[in-house]
Amino acid sequence: FAFVIAKSSKMLAETEAASNQFRSEAHSLGHYMVSCNLPMEMRRRIQQFHHYCYYNNRHQHEDNIQNILSKGMRAEIALHCHLEALRNVKIFMGAPLDFFE
């Protein structure tokens, strides 16, 4: 009986730790998206992806907030943040938007 109680307590503690990790990542992700001045639609999609990863046990301890994002989302954020600078580079001037995607 004590073994079952101990195992249950350990599982509950691990669940609580994972939940705290998720909330911490969500908070950091929110700050990151605000600092990048991402559009609301992109923020919504990133939050949905984060929730998807968590609920499918893909939420591992991450060193960098971008590690929880897919490669495509990281590229989309980079494009959003740096598109104007790229358009000011002489060889990219006048290039269509799909060139950068």
Side-chain angles (χ1 to χ4, degrees), residues 86-97 99-100:
L86 288 171
R87 285 187 169 168
N88 290 323
V89 175
K90 196 173 194 172
I91 61 171
F92 298 130
M93 286 183 179
L97 181 59
F99 172 78
F100 296 102

Side-chain angles (χ1 to χ4, degrees), residues 18 50-60:
H50 183 241
H51 279 82
Y52 168 82
C53 289
Y54 177 76
Y55 289 110
N56 288 288
N57 292 323
R58 290 178 51 193
H59 63 285
Q60 301 299 319

Side-chain angles (χ1 to χ4, degrees), residues 72-85:
M73 285 183 174
R74 288 193 306 265
E76 192 173 345
I77 291 169
L79 183 61
H80 173 79
C81 292
H82 305 292
L83 182 60
E84 289 308 311

Side-chain angles (χ1 to χ4, degrees), residues 32-90:
Y32 176 75
M33 291 186 295
V34 168
S35 72
C36 290
N37 195 29
L38 298 180
M40 292 307 291
E41 174 59 21
M42 188 184 300
R43 292 180 197 189
R44 184 189 61 75
R45 287 182 28 244
I46 291 168
Q47 288 169 337
Q48 286 178 334
F49 183 77
H50 183 241
H51 279 82
Y52 168 82
C53 289
Y54 177 76
Y55 289 110
N56 288 288
N57 292 323
R58 290 178 51 193
H59 63 285
Q60 301 299 319
H61 300 287
E62 307 293 345
D63 296 326
N64 183 325
I65 194 67
Q66 284 200 354
N67 287 340
I68 65 173
L69 302 174
S70 68
K71 185 177 179 180
M73 285 183 174
R74 288 193 306 265
E76 192 173 345
I77 291 169
L79 183 61
H80 173 79
C81 292
H82 305 292
L83 182 60
E84 289 308 311
L86 288 171
R87 285 187 169 168
N88 290 323
V89 175
K90 196 173 194 172

Side-chain angles (χ1 to χ4, degrees), residues 10-21:
K10 182 180 178 186
M11 285 176 30
L12 186 59
E14 289 172 354
T15 301
E16 181 71 22
S19 180
N20 289 339
Q21 176 72 23

